[in-house]
Amino acid sequence: MPPATGSTALYARALVLDANALASVGALLHDDDLALHLRQIRESGISAIKTTLGGAAGSFEETVADIARAQQLIDSHPGLFLKVVDHGDMARAKREGKVALIFSFEATTMLEDKVERIDLFRGLGVRVMQLSYNRASAFGGGSLDDASMGLSALGREAIARMNALGVALDLSHSNARTTQEGIEASRTPPLITHAGCSAVFEHPRNKGDAELRALADKGGVVGIYMLPFLTEDNRQPLLADYIAHLEHALRVCGEDHVGIGTDALFFPVDEKDIREMDLQMRERQRSGTGAPGENRTPYLPDANTPRRLALVADALLRRGHAPRVVEKVLGANFARAFGDIWGSG
């Protein structure tokens, strides 16, 4: 099927931002297919990627090493990557045909319950942080926790510190109460960089309409992921399922508050990848970090390409969404929110 009218040109001119992809991006340095993967990243059309560093439970030392590897990748390939230090770096990457890397955390283990480490890690370039992974931390409840667990006093202190330093608060892995209380506590726009919509499919990692509206009311943005949690666990999600969540978020939040955070495998998935992911998912279930329904490879079979966001743009245009809305979803909304949080410098 040929692209929708204007789809190719729109994607080429847009600032395309994936708010959750290529975790521990520095690992690419030790990839046997490094040259191929660097070419695929360049050809993806993406201008900015938020990369998770430190994993789901990284120690202080492990996380510092992960940050160092990401920095080494940037230093080794300055023609392709640049590190986001301030808001203008994303537009700069677009102008120069590079990919801006936004350093981020999904876990809090590397903080070791020390709020002052937010300052330290910001100094190392981390610009987005969370309050918990799937299980509770000293800062708040995780998405797999009892609904009664909310934001702790230490969590409120952490949010105040993030706000003061210009570190974005990400509530993707928080449970409903911590999400709601985190949104209320934040003085800068809170983010949900990667989630789905509970109204489309009920799952602990998906967000309810009340949370989504509250986020939008605070100027925040929700990024829709391409994880298996978009659908029931007896089938693999497809692009149509993804668009259903994206359109629901647009209806609830409005066109200025929805983006993309795929959280899926970036490079084309083959049978070997599926076998390896099956082993990883089993280990995550054994360790207690996996979520219900985490029994399928995180990808969309009919969008199995590094240019998957071009397919999203094409699908939205075909369904009648205005070009300005598509550009906002592709990256402009997250770019605006990051500017509001970090400052426009």
Side-chain angles (χ1 to χ4, degrees), residues 20-34:
N20 212 63
L22 289 175
S24 294
V25 69
L28 285 170
L29 286 169
H30 309 291
D31 192 330
D32 292 339
D33 295 320
L34 176 61

Side-chain angles (χ1 to χ4, degrees), residues 105-184:
F105 290 162
E106 284 195 300
T108 60
T109 47
M110 63 287 296
L111 299 180
E112 296 178 343
D113 304 345
K114 299 178 176 69
V115 171
E116 61 270 22
R117 285 200 176 161
I118 296 171
D119 301 58
L120 184 153
F121 282 117
R122 187 192 183 281
L124 295 176
V126 180
R127 292 294 185 267
V128 184
M129 298 184 189
Q130 295 207 37
L131 299 176
S132 61
Y133 190 60
N134 284 341
R135 295 295 180 183
S137 74
F139 303 94
S143 58
L144 304 187
D145 287 323
D146 183 273
S148 66
M149 299 186 69
L151 189 63
S152 69
L154 194 65
R156 293 182 186 280
E157 186 181 346
I159 291 173
R161 196 70 198 136
M162 291 181 206
N163 287 170
L165 292 171
V167 173
L169 170 65
D170 184 355
L171 297 162
S172 297
H173 281 272
S174 297
N175 65 4
R177 181 175 171 187
T178 303
T179 299
Q180 193 72 39
E181 292 178 353
I183 291 168
E184 293 169 359

Side-chain angles (χ1 to χ4, degrees), residues 28-228:
L28 285 170
L29 286 169
H30 309 291
D31 192 330
D32 292 339
D33 295 320
L34 176 61
L36 170 64
H37 286 161
L38 292 180
R39 186 175 74 249
Q40 290 173 327
I41 291 170
R42 185 181 295 280
E43 293 173 353
S44 70
I46 292 177
S47 298
I49 292 172
K50 182 184 79 62
T51 176
T52 295
L53 303 175
S59 67
F60 178 82
E61 293 79 8
E62 290 166 340
T63 302
V64 170
D66 209 13
I67 292 171
R69 282 189 295 270
Q71 186 64 56
Q72 184 183 1
L73 176 71
I74 294 166
D75 294 343
S76 301
H77 299 278
L80 177 56
F81 298 112
L82 65 85
K83 177 180 178 178
V84 170
V85 175
D86 59 46
H87 179 254
D89 289 329
M90 292 179 288
R92 176 186 158 204
K94 177 64 180 177
R95 288 194 307 272
E96 297 179 2
K98 297 180 181 181
V99 177
L101 296 179
I102 303 166
F103 289 6
S104 75
F105 290 162
E106 284 195 300
T108 60
T109 47
M110 63 287 296
L111 299 180
E112 296 178 343
D113 304 345
K114 299 178 176 69
V115 171
E116 61 270 22
R117 285 200 176 161
I118 296 171
D119 301 58
L120 184 153
F121 282 117
R122 187 192 183 281
L124 295 176
V126 180
R127 292 294 185 267
V128 184
M129 298 184 189
Q130 295 207 37
L131 299 176
S132 61
Y133 190 60
N134 284 341
R135 295 295 180 183
S137 74
F139 303 94
S143 58
L144 304 187
D145 287 323
D146 183 273
S148 66
M149 299 186 69
L151 189 63
S152 69
L154 194 65
R156 293 182 186 280
E157 186 181 346
I159 291 173
R161 196 70 198 136
M162 291 181 206
N163 287 170
L165 292 171
V167 173
L169 170 65
D170 184 355
L171 297 162
S172 297
H173 281 272
S174 297
N175 65 4
R177 181 175 171 187
T178 303
T179 299
Q180 193 72 39
E181 292 178 353
I183 291 168
E184 293 169 359
S186 184
R187 292 183 290 100
T188 62
L191 306 177
I192 296 172
T193 62
H194 54 295
C197 300
S198 293
V200 180
F201 180 70
E202 184 65 41
H203 187 277
R205 280 284 286 108
N206 292 339
K207 301 294 185 180
D209 287 359
E211 300 156 73
L212 296 176
R213 289 192 189 98
L215 184 86
D217 288 344
K218 270 291 189 72
V221 179
V222 57
I224 302 302
Y225 52 32
M226 293 183 174
L227 291 184

Side-chain angles (χ1 to χ4, degrees), residues 222-244:
V222 57
I224 302 302
Y225 52 32
M226 293 183 174
L227 291 184
F229 316 139
L230 298 174
T231 69
E232 59 277 6
D233 64 7
N234 62 358
R235 67 183 181 88
Q236 193 74 25
L238 298 172
L239 183 59
D241 300 302
Y242 181 78
I243 296 298

Side-chain angles (χ1 to χ4, degrees), residues 302-339:
D302 56 347
N304 190 20
T305 166
R307 290 185 64 83
R308 60 179 60 87
L309 301 193
L311 300 179
V312 172
D314 187 69
L316 289 173
L317 287 174
R318 288 182 185 279
R319 292 180 61 80
H321 295 277
R324 75 168 190 285
V325 175
V326 179
E327 288 197 52
K328 288 178 180 182
V329 170
L330 285 175
N333 284 339
F334 267 121
R336 184 271 307 159
F338 284 135

